Amino acid sequence: MRVPVIAGNWKMNKTILEAESLVKEMLPELLSVKGVERVVCPPFVALASVAALLRDTDIKLGAQNLFWEEKGAYTGEVSPLMLQGLCHDVIIGHSERRQYFGETDETVNRKIKAALSHGLRPIVCVGENLDQNEAGETESFVSLQIEKGMAGLSVAQVRGMIIAYEPIWAIGTGKPATGVGANHIIKTAIREVIGRLFGLETAAAIRIQYGGSVKPDNIVEFMSQPEIDGALVGGASLKASDFVSIVRLSAQAKGLC
Ligand code: 13P
């Protein structure tokens, strides 16, 4: 069975002090839920202080981005070498980075390779926008994002990664996909494409999350779906009680407690 994984993407929210207090508030409850992998992804500047709070726990720390070069004249960028040893995970290719910062499937591919070669686990985001969705292009678009993003990777590399299906129209809108709809896209445009490219065993092993307006009151709908192994949570990960509820309900939905 695939171990469910719930990750909180804090985006550009929380100062260092606020990040520390959010983690302190959720930590006891988060630690009490078993069987679900839990990841928090604060902004870069808060990573070191959150890492200190998570030391000796099984809660994982993730960054929200990285650059592919190890060092050099790349003002403002953060390298995989800097994240190595500090983080376990790194979100790559979030739609906000594609939309506002010019990231493409090619840069996503370079970042995935850089993360993997530095022992960081990528959480790779894919998903269509509203126009594509309404035009019936979701499956072809998401499949292509997977094909291009994963180009040149080995079976072993893909197996350990996490993919997040985040339809852009569902992010921050309060209008989530349906569980059945997300499950269908995850199956046909992600898991089956991984199967074709990397084999059925890899497709069966890789964990795929849903993201987009996930809240305590809809998480069970997603986690009850057979192809959905977790969630990438934005807004609701900024409130300790909501994030803890999402983690707890996910464990229950998968029959783990
Ligand atoms: P929301 O949960 O705020 O819709 O954000 C989803 C997301 O983009 C997580 O990466």
Side-chain angles (χ1 to χ4, degrees):
M1 199 192 120
R2 297 184 292 265
V3 176
V5 52
I6 303 294
N9 173 11
W10 295 7
K11 307 192 180 184
M12 197 177 72
N13 294 290
K14 305 292 177 189
T15 63
I16 296 172
L17 286 178
E18 288 167 348
E20 287 174 337
S21 77
L22 177 57
V23 169
K24 282 182 191 158
E25 193 184 345
M26 31 188 206
L27 202 50
E29 296 262 17
L30 273 190
L31 288 172
S32 73
V33 185
K34 300 293 170 208
V36 174
E37 227 181 291
R38 296 134 296 167
V39 186
V40 292
C41 306
F44 282 129
V45 294
L47 286 174
S49 40
V50 171
L53 293 173
L54 297 182
R55 192 167 299 138
D56 303 325
T57 76
D58 64 348
I59 315 292
K60 298 191 168 101
L61 183 65
Q64 298 173 18
N65 182 31
L66 84 176
F67 189 53
W68 53 77
E69 295 291 347
E70 286 197 334
K71 60 183 173 180
Y74 303 102
T75 302
E77 291 298 305
V78 172
S79 87
L81 207 52
M82 296 167 185
L83 297 177
Q84 191 171 33
L86 177 62
C87 295
H88 184 272
D89 293 273
V90 56
I91 297 170
I92 295 176
H94 192 281
S95 61
E96 288 147 15
R97 297 223 49 92
R98 296 179 190 251
Q99 190 177 348
Y100 303 127
F101 304 100
E103 297 202 8
T104 64
D105 294 326
E106 288 69 33
T107 62
V108 166
N109 181 254
R110 292 186 78 163
K111 290 183 175 197
I112 293 172
K113 288 174 177 162
L116 288 166
S117 67
H118 290 81
L120 296 159
R121 179 175 65 180
I123 301 176
V124 180
C125 303
V126 294
E128 82 287 1
N129 66 27
L130 188 59
D131 287 347
Q132 291 162 330
N133 182 276
E134 288 178 344
E137 293 165 3
T138 299
E139 287 179 51
S140 57
F141 181 75
V142 173
S143 306
L144 203 59
Q145 283 187 315
I146 293 290
E147 280 178 31
K148 289 184 171 175
M150 307 283 158
L153 300 183
S154 72
V155 164
Q157 285 176 322
V158 173
R159 195 167 295 193
M161 290 172 39
I162 293 170
I163 296 176
Y165 169 56
E166 299 205 307
I168 295 169
W169 47 269
I171 295 176
T173 59
K175 293 181 185 157
T178 62
V180 169
N183 189 73
H184 176 74
I185 298 303
I186 286 174
K187 179 174 191 291
T188 58
I190 303 179
R191 210 177 288 285
E192 288 177 7
V193 174
I194 300 276
R196 186 156 47 72
L197 298 172
F198 300 99
L200 293 181
E201 264 184 49
T202 305
I206 192 168
R207 286 176 295 169
I208 308 176
Q209 301 172 314
Y210 167 78
S213 297
V214 169
K215 304 279 182 268
D217 66 4
N218 60 30
I219 185 66
V220 172
E221 177 182 351
F222 294 106
M223 296 305 284
S224 306
Q225 298 294 327
E227 303 291 345
I228 301 181
D229 306 313
L232 185 53
V233 185
S237 70
L238 298 170
K239 202 172 153 205
S241 58
D242 280 356
F243 191 63
V244 166
S245 293
I246 287 169
V247 169
R248 199 178 292 287
L249 289 163
S250 297
Q252 285 168 9
K254 293 290 184 192
L256 296 164
C257 62

